[in-house]
């Protein structure tokens, strides 16, 4: 008997039905966990039987259906780690990212004019190398004069010409970094990053950080970032006139919008836009986004915006700002910690508090 993909899909639909019934019923938590464990073990058994029947094949792959049901179950209850013995939690999270990438690739199929063939591209590059001063319009006119088909438009030709953008000089880099260092107490930085959900939707996270203290002033999650929403988040981040002198941001259309720029001007904040494709000009925002990804979002699969927002708020306010030390501020925390009296190791009693269901722990001295 061959384990077909329809069996896994049936098992997945059954799990969704059971979960929905659990939400409506008044069954206790123990019974709910037993149901989920049963579904998980059945899926693993089906996968093991499927691999046993395919043992003669050279390469054995995990079926997409098994990946889907594993991702779904692991997201519902982290305690299923103990019964998911075939694969580690990191593997299940990697599966979710792969499934999201495939889903996004299908939705991101380019529409419009077909791409020009490689022979036409080679001809464009040849003409450009022979005449480097010619503009895309001039090359387009040569194609028309010589009656070469297909004749690409000037905008299409410009896409394939090498960019002559000069990199910043060492003096320019030093000058900009000196500005950041001298005005760090008056600078905030902002940027967006995205996180995929269990159902393959995209959530957008706004992060605002203070340069000098490394404190995350505000973090928020949305499914549809707009200029109006971003302005409201900055109002929430600047109560009682607590505003920076400078705000560093990239060339995102939201930050460049008239509404957002008017808000900065009326609030007395000077906008400092980074150059195109120059993430080094916004180093603190880029670094903190990398930190959040490595320490939080790489370990979770959020259901929706509220779920992710709750986790990030807990991480920022219960761990990052208050207990996580930073080398850039001499091993201190963004919000200064209380000063504890000096004690020997044998006399020290620590109290620990879990953060994000035990992903991290914070410590304080017991009196």
């Amino acid at each position: 008997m061959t384990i077909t993909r329809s069996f896994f899909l049936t098992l997945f639909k059954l799990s969704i039905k059971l979960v929905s019934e659990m939400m409506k019923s008044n069954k206790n938590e123990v019974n709910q966990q037993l149901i989920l464990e049963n579904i998980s073990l059945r899926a693993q058994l089906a996968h093991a039987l499927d691999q046993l029947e395919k043992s003669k094949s050279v390469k054995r792959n995990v079926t997409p259906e098994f990946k889907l049901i594993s991702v779904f179950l692991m997201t519902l209850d982290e305690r299923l780690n103990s019964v998911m013995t075939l694969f580690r939690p990191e593997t299940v999270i990697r599966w979710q990212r792969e499934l999201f990438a495939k889903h996004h690739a299908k939705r991101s199929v380019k529409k419009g004019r077909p791409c020009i063939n490689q022979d036409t591209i080679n001809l464009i590059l040849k003409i450009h190398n022979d005449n480097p001063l010619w503009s895309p319009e001039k090359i387009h006119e040569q194609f028309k004069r010589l009656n070469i088909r297909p004749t690409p438009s000037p905008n299409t030709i410009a896409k394939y010409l090498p960019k002559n953008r000069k990199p910043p000089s060492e003096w320019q880099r030093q000058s900009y970094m000196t500005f950041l260092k001298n005005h760090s107490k008056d600078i905030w930085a902002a940027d967006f990053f995205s996180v995929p959900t269990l159902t393959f939707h995209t959530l957008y996270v706004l992060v605002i950080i203070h340069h000098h203290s490394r404190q995350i002033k505000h973090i928020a999650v949305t499914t549809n970032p707009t200029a109006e929403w971003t302005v409201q988040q900055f109002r929430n981040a600047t109560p009682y006139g607590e505003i920076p002198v400078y705000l560093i941001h990239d060339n995102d259309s939201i930050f460049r919008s008239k509404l957002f720029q008017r808000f900065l001007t009326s609030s007395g904040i000077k906008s400092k836009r980074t150059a195109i494709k120059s993430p080094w000009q916004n180093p603190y925002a880029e670094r903190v986004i990398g930190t959040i990804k490595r320490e939080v979002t790489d370990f979770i699969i959020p259901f929706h915006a509220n779920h992710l927002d709750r986790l990030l708020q807990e991480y920022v306010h219960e761990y990052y700002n208050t207990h996580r030390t930073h080398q850039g501020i001499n091993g201190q925390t963004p919000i200064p910690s209380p000063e504890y009296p000096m004690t020997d190791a044998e006399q020290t009693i620590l109290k620990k508090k879990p953060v994000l269901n035990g992903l991290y722990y914070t410590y304080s001295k017991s009196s």
Side-chain angles (χ1 to χ4, degrees), residues 297-325:
T297 60
D298 285 351
F299 296 96
I300 62 171
I301 304 175
F303 280 106
H304 42 68
N306 291 339
H307 181 208
L308 180 61
D309 184 67
R310 179 178 59 80
L311 295 176
L312 291 179
Q313 295 297 338
E314 181 180 355
Y315 169 77
V316 169
H317 299 294
E318 301 295 331
Y319 177 72
Y320 184 92
N321 282 345
T322 55
H323 289 83
R324 189 183 186 277
T325 57

Side-chain angles (χ1 to χ4, degrees), residues 49-164:
L49 293 174
D50 184 48
Q51 294 301 311
L52 183 62
E53 293 187 4
K54 297 179 180 178
S55 58
K56 295 181 180 180
S57 62
V58 178
K59 187 176 181 181
R60 292 175 291 172
N61 293 326
V62 181
T63 61
E65 293 75 27
F66 180 76
K67 291 182 179 180
L68 182 62
I69 193 171
S70 299
V71 169
F72 180 74
L73 292 173
M74 285 282 290
T75 308
L76 282 177
D77 195 337
E78 296 178 353
R79 290 171 295 185
L80 293 180
N81 293 350
S82 59
V83 296
M84 293 288 288
T85 56
L86 290 181
F87 306 98
R88 296 181 299 175
E90 307 90 85
T91 305
V92 177
I93 291 178
R94 176 169 57 82
W95 288 346
Q96 192 268 346
R97 300 293 190 263
E98 292 174 355
L99 292 171
F100 174 77
K102 291 180 181 179
H103 174 76
H104 184 71
K106 290 182 180 179
R107 294 188 58 188
S108 303
V109 176
K110 292 185 177 180
K111 299 180 181 180
R113 299 178 182 176
C115 299
I116 60 178
N117 56 49
Q118 188 60 43
D119 293 333
T120 305
I121 297 174
N122 294 337
L123 188 57
I124 291 173
L125 295 176
K126 182 180 183 304
I127 296 175
H128 174 74
N129 291 334
D130 295 338
N131 305 274
L133 298 181
W134 280 9
S135 64
E137 289 78 9
K138 188 68 66 177
I139 297 177
H140 170 74
E141 292 169 356
Q142 290 297 319
F143 268 78
K144 291 182 62 177
R145 187 181 69 83
L146 298 172
N147 198 18
I148 300 174
R149 293 290 183 271
T151 303
S153 66
N155 289 338
T156 301
I157 293 173
K159 291 194 303 183
Y160 298 98
L161 298 183
K163 302 296 186 293
N164 295 322

Side-chain angles (χ1 to χ4, degrees), residues 11-25 27 32 35-36 39 72-73 76-77 80 303:
L11 195 60
F12 177 65
K13 293 177 182 177
L14 176 63
S15 65
I16 295 178
K17 183 179 179 180
L18 288 174
V19 170
S20 62
E21 291 178 357
M22 284 162 36
M23 298 297 184
K24 298 176 183 177
S25 66
K27 294 181 179 180
Q32 293 179 4
I35 293 175
L36 294 176
I39 296 173
F72 180 74
L73 292 173
L76 282 177
D77 195 337
L80 293 180
F303 280 106

